[in-house]
Amino acid sequence: MTVRRILTVDSDMTTLKQVSAPAAAVDDGLRRLMDDMLETMYAAPGIGLAAIQIGEPVRVIVMDLAKKGEPPAPRFFVNPEIVSASEETGPWEEGCLSVPDIYEDVERPIQVRLRYLDYNGAVVEEDADELYAVCIQHEMDHLNGVLFIDHLSRLKRERAVAKVKKAARADA
Ligand code: NI
């Protein structure tokens, strides 16, 4: 497993805006990608990562929502789809490894039903709520080139990107 560089909005906006293509098959090559993504996400650290965030435009997501002190609980999503979403929406404070150190409330459906292929290529259908629902919708946005800051007002979005750029310059 390899920790890969996570693309960020200050230097990689064009790639992050790409729409990812469905994975053709869940094979060893794709599992290697998922392993790298998980390693990269844990190293960051973060709770979710889409393949495009390491520059791979394929519809794959990794996630681990285990709380501090709980054993790791990695989840893998290949070609995920939202089957249905609740009409009720709610705000949740989101952040993103590609938009470091920015946290803002985003309004989304509070419950969704998902269908995806797991690490072994089996079809899974399940309901997600709370943090799981937020995280999967956030990550699935990445597959369509959408960032959580795209859900904010233009002013807040531009301010967020400017802040990330300024921090990147300070680090350089
Ligand atoms: Ni993100």
Side-chain angles (χ1 to χ4, degrees), residues 34 37 47-51 58-63 75-80 117 135-143:
M34 290 194 272
M37 287 170 63
I47 60 169
L49 189 78
V58 57
R59 302 184 84 82
V60 173
I61 290 163
V62 298
M63 194 183 293
R75 304 175 196 228
F76 305 89
F77 305 85
V78 179
N79 301 340
L117 303 176
C135 196
I136 194 68
Q137 291 178 83
H138 173 119
E139 299 309 332
M140 285 180 68
D141 269 357
H142 276 299
L143 306 182

Side-chain angles (χ1 to χ4, degrees), residues 140-158:
M140 285 180 68
D141 269 357
H142 276 299
L143 306 182
N144 296 320
V146 175
L147 299 164
F148 85 99
I149 53 172
D150 293 325
H151 292 279
L152 308 176
S153 69
R154 186 176 161 183
L155 181 70
K156 275 191 173 175
R157 179 168 58 250
E158 287 176 353

Side-chain angles (χ1 to χ4, degrees), residues 1 26 30-39 41-42 49 59-64 73-80 116-122 124 126 132 136:
M1 290 195 269
V26 183
L30 199 75
R31 275 186 282 271
R32 265 196 298 279
L33 172 64
M34 290 194 272
D35 292 344
D36 283 358
M37 287 170 63
L38 195 70
E39 188 88 347
M41 183 190 80
Y42 284 148
L49 189 78
R59 302 184 84 82
V60 173
I61 290 163
V62 298
M63 194 183 293
D64 190 331
R75 304 175 196 228
F76 305 89
F77 305 85
V78 179
N79 301 340
Y116 59 92
L117 303 176
D118 69 10
Y119 192 81
N120 298 308
V124 180
E126 67 192 4
Y132 184 18
I136 194 68

Side-chain angles (χ1 to χ4, degrees), residues 31-140:
R31 275 186 282 271
R32 265 196 298 279
L33 172 64
M34 290 194 272
D35 292 344
D36 283 358
M37 287 170 63
L38 195 70
E39 188 88 347
T40 303
M41 183 190 80
Y42 284 148
I47 60 169
L49 189 78
I52 192 64
Q53 292 181 274
I54 58 166
E56 303 282 353
V58 57
R59 302 184 84 82
V60 173
I61 290 163
V62 298
M63 194 183 293
D64 190 331
L65 304 178
K67 294 188 187 74
K68 229 183 168 160
E70 287 180 357
R75 304 175 196 228
F76 305 89
F77 305 85
V78 179
N79 301 340
E81 288 169 54
I82 302 237
V83 180
S84 62
S86 63
E87 274 180 38
E88 192 186 341
T89 63
W92 200 287
E93 192 182 68
E94 298 188 21
C96 181
L97 295 173
S98 294
V99 195
D101 299 320
I102 304 290
Y103 300 91
E104 294 282 355
D105 274 358
V106 175
E107 184 91 14
R108 300 184 189 271
I110 59 166
Q111 193 265 333
V112 292
R113 185 160 185 84
L114 308 169
R115 190 185 299 131
Y116 59 92
L117 303 176
D118 69 10
Y119 192 81
N120 298 308
V123 180
V124 180
E125 196 169 313
E126 67 192 4
D127 294 315
D129 62 8
E130 304 206 327
L131 179 60
Y132 184 18
V134 172
C135 196
I136 194 68
Q137 291 178 83
H138 173 119
E139 299 309 332
M140 285 180 68

